[in-house]
Amino acid sequence: NTINPNGSQIIGTNINVKDGGKLTINAEANSGFTYTAGKLVADGLNSILTVNGGSYSNSGAGSSEITASNGGTVYLNEGRFSTSGYQGHAVIAEAESVIYINGGSFSSSGAQSIVIYANGGTIKIDNIDSITANGKRFGVANGGTILVSKEYSPSKPTSVAAGCKVTDNGDGYWLISQE
């Protein structure tokens, strides 16, 4: 199956990769490919979602644009990912899931939002083009962790949610975990 990224638009539909499925979305960042009012999800062990460019957004209270859950894995290599709505997240890794961020721009415009959120899962950040928050940039809960490359962020990451701490992981990464 192919989605033509030249001016394509998908509105109102979620893409859910599950049960060990694999999906790669290739769209140049400024190609005009947009995906609105839906979620991109990797749900389940060995389910893998890879995103290489494009513009994606979602809206709703407590909502997330990109989600890894139940052992799913997400690779975000480039693109624009945003969410709006009270306490929203651009990216969330739930229990036993992993998200690798290797580029892209991330934003949450809803009040009290947390842009990059590890709710029991793990998020590893090697590079981000930009983060815009109407709340906090990073947050963890339920044993989640976020690793932020010191090459990307030589200084200790700031704008972390209440109840979180940032420590030197000793391996080239800052570790964001619960206090």
Side-chain angles (χ1 to χ4, degrees):
N1 295 322
T2 302
I3 298 173
N4 180 357
N6 295 323
S8 293
Q9 187 173 35
I10 299 173
I11 299 174
T13 304
N14 295 338
I15 293 179
N16 192 351
V17 180
K18 57 191 253 179
D19 300 328
K22 294 173 180 51
L23 174 67
T24 299
I25 299 173
N26 292 313
E28 294 177 25
N30 296 312
S31 69
F33 178 73
T34 56
Y35 180 77
T36 7
K39 299 178 183 186
L40 300 176
V41 178
D43 182 8
L45 194 59
N46 299 320
S47 298
I48 300 172
L49 170 65
T50 303
V51 181
N52 300 311
S55 181
Y56 310 88
S57 64
N58 188 25
S59 179
S63 196
S64 176
E65 176 53 41
I66 305 291
T67 302
S69 61
N70 301 312
T73 302
V74 174
Y75 296 92
L76 301 174
N77 297 317
E78 204 49 59
R80 291 183 309 265
F81 309 94
S82 64
T83 188
S84 62
Y86 178 71
Q87 295 183 339
H89 313 292
V91 176
I92 185 170
E94 296 179 336
E96 300 181 28
S97 297
V98 181
I99 296 177
Y100 298 94
I101 300 177
N102 301 303
S105 299
F106 301 84
S107 67
S108 290
S109 61
Q112 298 182 22
S113 59
I114 299 173
V115 180
I116 309 290
Y117 187 58
N119 184 19
T122 300
I123 299 173
K124 186 175 180 184
I125 300 170
D126 283 311
N127 188 30
I128 290 179
D129 299 330
S130 68
I131 299 177
T132 306
N134 183 12
K136 299 296 182 183
R137 290 181 177 182
F138 306 105
V140 298
N142 299 313
T145 58
I146 298 174
L147 296 165
V148 180
S149 167
K150 288 184 178 179
E151 286 185 30
Y152 159 68
S153 178
S155 300
K156 191 175 189 178
T158 58
S159 188
V160 296
C164 298
K165 64 180 178 180
V166 181
T167 57
D168 186 340
N169 203 37
D171 63 354
Y173 288 87
W174 297 105
L175 173 64
I176 301 172
S177 59
Q178 289 180 272
E179 291 184 330

